[in-house]
Amino acid sequence: MKTRTTRNSGSSLIIVLSVLATLMVIVAVAAEYTNNVGRNVQRSGTLQSAVAVGDSCLEMLFANWRSICSAPGVVNLAQTTGAFSGIPLPTAAQLNLPNSATFAKAGTNFDPNVDEYYPNYTISNYKVVAVDPEWQTLASASTAPKPALGQLTGAISSVDPTTAVVYNYIASADVTLPALGPNGRVVAKVRRVFQKQQLSPWNFAIFFLDPLEIHPGPNFVVTGWVHTNSDLYTGHSTLSFADKVTYSSDWFVDFMPGETTHAGETPAAPSYLSNLPPARDQALQPFGLDSTSIFSTADTNPNNDSYRELIEQAVAGNTDPLAGQRYYDQAAIKVLIDGTGASATAKIYKADGTEVKNSSSDPYDKKLYTAIASALNATTGSTTTLPTASIQDNREAASVRLVDLDIGRIVNSLNASSGSSNYIDSSLWNGIVYIADRSATSSVHRGIRVKNGAILPTTGLTVASANPVYIQGNYNTGTGTIPSNATSNNDPTIPQAASYKRKPASVVADAVNILSNSWNDANAESGDPLSARVATNTTVNTAIIAGNVPSSAVGGDGRYSGGAENFPRFLEDWSGIKFTYYGSMVQLYKSQQAIGKWGSANVYGAPTRQWYFDTNFRTSPPPGSIMLYSYIKGKWSTL
């Protein structure tokens, strides 16, 4: 039987060709997909690069904006959009991009919503504009931004320099980079809100520029905000925070390395609100810039003594970074003291620097002189001769010559009739008295004692000095029964007599010492034991700016600064005695005259501390302007 063989070669060829065609389609589709993915990846990567370039532009804008806003002399003003018109454009080298004739173009419109994008420029719409508190457009490039303050209205000139405010600005940069795709480019339009915040240091119960140590023995509750621009050290469980606590560097439940006072103790964490643990926050900068930026020790300018310049006179003929900000500059009354030994003389000046004398032709100048000379217990004539006292300050291990300033006599002169010989006219008074003994040296100890200060002027009082200040007796409490001073039925939340309203007050000095109501100079002589200086219950209601003596660094003598619990210094035996304090404590510099180490023998016995933050300062700060500034990068967005 024959078998017929069927040939399928033609059909197989068709099948092979079909398969090949299908594979070619698949390969083409895969290639196109791969190409699209590659283009998308390239565009995505380029877009990320464009956003990164935009962020770099915002960083450069921020640095320039911050520099302009914090320039000496204008730091407390709200800068307009026009102030930023001179910000230099970024260069290709700065951004590591190819250079071209159309690399960068500034935005010129004061409205952040106006589209000033230019596709032919790598960087366009490069600008900072001022906006209102809701980040909306202002009337013009010369319109100052209104502060974000809720109910505050009116022209910017009406804002008190001690008012806490926030000014808002919007920075923009549009970045165009070449990329695969229909337009041959990608665009990233980045925006960021810049905020300049102005805040009084009197919003804080404790503010330290330098490391802050708080190591109380007995239970100690801190009411009010606490902040340090450096490290925070808390080593005792007896410490409690009743409000927010922030630090700019780090927080250690420990003792500062180098100090040996607490050697062998086991550190323990403080108590704090469960929803408000200590947290890191940015540094708050007096006058807008850190001290290394506004004070240069690399030149011959003597006006570079850190923030202690606040309590010093400027040296004429040199650039002064704190011109107008010093308490000497702000004071309505300036008393400058000289003299050797127990002999002291004073010159008295009014706000404009004019010396007032017993022989002044202007009757109000002469009356001002008489009033202040009376407050100094001075003998008047061709020279103003002052009585002085000498006390032994065992922390300084030295005798200190004191000049007394009687606040009660200043109050009497402010309340006197215009016909009185010691009348202080209101036009010559702003609540700030600067008094300094210029004869102090490293071995010659001088101080100012503030006495009879139970009642302060109605508008408040600031006493500033380059010397240590000694506050003697109840201060800003009124007279009569003070519940916080009572030996029974004690109520530390009422630190003044019933008929008296606390006045906004501050003492600004190299250091601040507290002398109780029972202080007696005769018991503070060389060799007198601590038992001769027994304190009695005393209340002081005032803010304090002062220096401290820092703890020893590693390898040093092991000294402890005394911590914030000893920021106001003591010279008596306060054991079992109440020291009631309402105020705000601010450390901006290191002491240069009162440099005795904490912890020496025969200096003081610790009081029962009844300390409270005076919340009145948030609305009624003490006389004088000193502000903390921060420059914040706010909301970030892309269009």
Side-chain angles (χ1 to χ4, degrees):
M1 178 185 212
K2 288 186 177 179
T3 301
R4 179 177 293 179
T5 301
T6 304
R7 298 181 178 275
N8 297 320
S9 59
S11 299
S12 298
L13 180 61
I14 292 172
I15 292 172
V16 169
L17 290 174
S18 297
V19 170
L20 289 174
T22 301
L23 290 174
M24 290 176 66
V25 170
I26 292 173
V27 169
V29 170
E32 179 64 20
Y33 175 77
T34 301
N35 191 39
N36 285 338
V37 169
R39 285 198 299 266
N40 288 336
V41 169
Q42 193 268 355
R43 286 180 64 84
S44 177
T46 304
L47 181 59
Q48 290 180 5
S49 296
V51 171
V53 170
D55 277 343
S56 297
C57 290
L58 292 180
E59 289 295 323
M60 287 186 280
L61 283 168
F62 181 80
N64 283 282
W65 166 81
R66 182 178 183 272
S67 177
I68 292 169
C69 287
S70 59
V74 298
V75 68
N76 60 344
L77 302 179
Q79 296 292 354
T80 66
T81 298
F84 310 113
S85 60
I87 290 179
L89 291 170
T91 66
Q94 287 174 315
L95 298 172
N96 197 27
L97 291 172
N99 196 11
S100 68
T102 56
F103 180 75
K105 183 176 179 62
T108 58
N109 198 290
F110 62 89
D111 186 345
N113 299 311
V114 170
D115 189 356
E116 294 189 271
Y117 168 65
Y118 287 84
N120 295 329
Y121 281 83
T122 304
I123 312 292
S124 60
N125 199 24
Y126 186 80
K127 65 183 179 182
V128 177
V129 298
V131 292
D132 70 12
E134 287 75 38
W135 304 342
Q136 300 302 310
T137 309
L138 299 177
S140 70
S142 60
T143 303
K146 295 284 182 64
L149 263 186
Q151 296 182 357
L152 185 66
T153 59
I156 195 67
S157 59
S158 67
V159 178
D160 188 280
T162 63
T163 302
V165 299
V166 176
Y167 300 111
N168 289 283
Y169 302 82
I170 293 179
S172 64
D174 297 344
V175 180
T176 303
L177 296 180
L180 299 174
N183 296 325
R185 63 178 180 264
V186 294
V187 180
K189 298 183 176 183
V190 294
R191 306 288 184 267
R192 191 148 203 178
V193 174
F194 294 165
Q195 291 183 311
K196 175 181 177 179
Q197 295 188 348
Q198 173 179 298
L199 182 67
S200 167
W202 309 130
N203 282 270
F204 295 86
I206 302 174
F207 178 92
F208 267 50
L209 194 76
D210 295 322
L212 171 58
E213 303 160 276
I214 313 180
H215 302 311
N219 290 333
F220 182 41
V221 179
V222 181
T223 65
W225 297 349
V226 175
H227 177 81
T228 169
N229 272 3
S230 184
D231 291 322
L232 173 65
Y233 293 89
T234 58
H236 288 132
S237 59
T238 53
L239 173 64
S240 298
F241 293 116
D243 211 322
K244 75 170 184 176
V245 180
T246 52
Y247 50 87
S248 296
S249 184
D250 210 344
W251 173 36
F252 300 92
V253 179
D254 206 345
F255 308 108
M256 182 180 288
E259 68 101 338
T260 59
T261 298
H262 298 97
E265 296 185 28
T266 301
S271 298
Y272 46 81
L273 300 178
S274 60
N275 63 341
L276 203 60
R280 182 175 285 109
D281 200 357
Q282 68 171 297
L284 300 172
Q285 299 161 339
F287 315 107
L289 287 177
D290 60 82
S291 59
T292 57
S293 298
I294 61 173
F295 302 109
S296 172
T297 56
D299 57 31
T300 58
N301 189 336
N303 295 316
N304 58 12
D305 192 14
S306 74
Y307 291 119
R308 196 179 183 280
E309 293 285 344
L310 268 178
I311 57 173
E312 300 172 2
Q313 284 181 262
V315 178
N318 297 273
T319 301
D320 182 11
L322 292 183
Q325 300 284 347
R326 298 169 184 269
Y327 276 95
Y328 178 86
D329 297 342
Q330 297 186 58
I333 297 167
K334 317 169 201 286
V335 180
L336 301 181
I337 303 164
D338 292 288
T340 60
S343 176
T345 59
K347 291 187 177 181
I348 302 169
Y349 302 86
K350 58 182 182 179
D352 63 4
T354 302
E355 183 179 2
V356 293
K357 303 178 181 181
N358 198 31
S359 58
S360 294
S361 58
D362 186 303
Y364 288 111
D365 285 5
K366 183 173 182 177
K367 292 176 180 181
L368 175 65
Y369 170 83
T370 302
I372 302 306
S374 174
L376 296 167
N377 296 300
T379 301
T380 62
S382 58
T383 61
T384 305
T385 304
L386 306 180
T388 62
S390 179
I391 66 168
Q392 179 70 17
D393 185 327
N394 282 345
R395 174 164 173 168
E396 300 303 314
S399 175
V400 180
R401 187 184 80 179
L402 298 180
V403 169
D404 290 341
L405 180 67
D406 189 316
I407 304 304
R409 294 188 179 185
I410 292 178
V411 173
N412 289 339
S413 295
L414 288 166
N415 293 334
S417 66
S418 59
S420 300
S421 62
N422 63 336
Y423 171 68
I424 298 178
D425 186 76
S426 59
S427 66
L428 302 176
W429 174 255
N430 67 359
I432 306 173
V433 177
Y434 181 88
I435 176 170
D437 193 328
R438 299 183 293 185
S439 64
T441 69
S442 58
S443 59
V444 176
H445 296 267
R446 302 292 189 242
I448 304 300
R449 177 162 52 185
V450 176
K451 301 179 68 174
N452 195 18
I455 297 176
L456 298 188
T458 303
T459 56
L461 177 67
T462 289
V463 176
S465 178
N467 309 117
V469 167
Y470 297 74
I471 303 174
Q472 182 171 332
N474 290 334
Y475 193 78
N476 195 18
T477 59
T479 56
T481 301
I482 303 169
S484 63
N485 276 351
T487 55
S488 62
N489 300 320
N490 178 42
D491 185 357
T493 64
I494 306 177
Q496 70 278 326
S499 60
Y500 184 77
K501 181 179 180 181
R502 295 195 308 275
K503 308 303 189 296
S506 65
V507 175
V508 186
D510 182 74
V512 173
N513 297 266
I514 306 298
L515 306 178
S516 78
N517 286 306
S518 63
W519 175 267
N520 188 329
D521 289 355
N523 296 333
E525 298 178 352
S526 179
D528 283 340
L530 182 59
S531 59
R533 306 187 304 279
V534 178
T536 52
N537 294 340
T538 302
T539 297
V540 171
N541 300 319
T542 184
I544 294 173
I545 296 179
N548 69 343
V549 180
S551 292
S552 172
V554 175
D557 60 9
R559 70 179 180 275
Y560 172 49
S561 67
E565 66 272 20
N566 288 296
F567 190 60
R569 305 180 189 185
F570 304 99
L571 295 174
E572 297 166 271
D573 186 0
W574 289 80
S575 303
I577 305 301
K578 302 178 183 72
F579 172 58
T580 304
Y581 174 77
Y582 266 66
S584 168
M585 299 188 298
V586 176
Q587 181 269 340
L588 296 181
Y589 43 82
K590 297 174 179 62
S591 298
Q592 290 190 7
Q593 294 186 19
I595 57 175
K597 302 172 185 176
W598 178 88
S600 300
N602 194 29
V603 177
Y604 80 106
T608 299
R609 296 179 176 91
Q610 300 180 151
W611 289 11
Y612 297 84
F613 168 62
D614 192 339
T615 57
N616 290 330
F617 288 158
R618 287 176 173 161
T619 54
S620 300
S625 172
I626 173 173
M627 300 299 292
L628 305 172
Y629 293 90
S630 56
Y631 300 92
I632 298 172
K633 300 168 191 171
K635 179 183 177 182
W636 181 94
S637 62
T638 59
L639 300 182

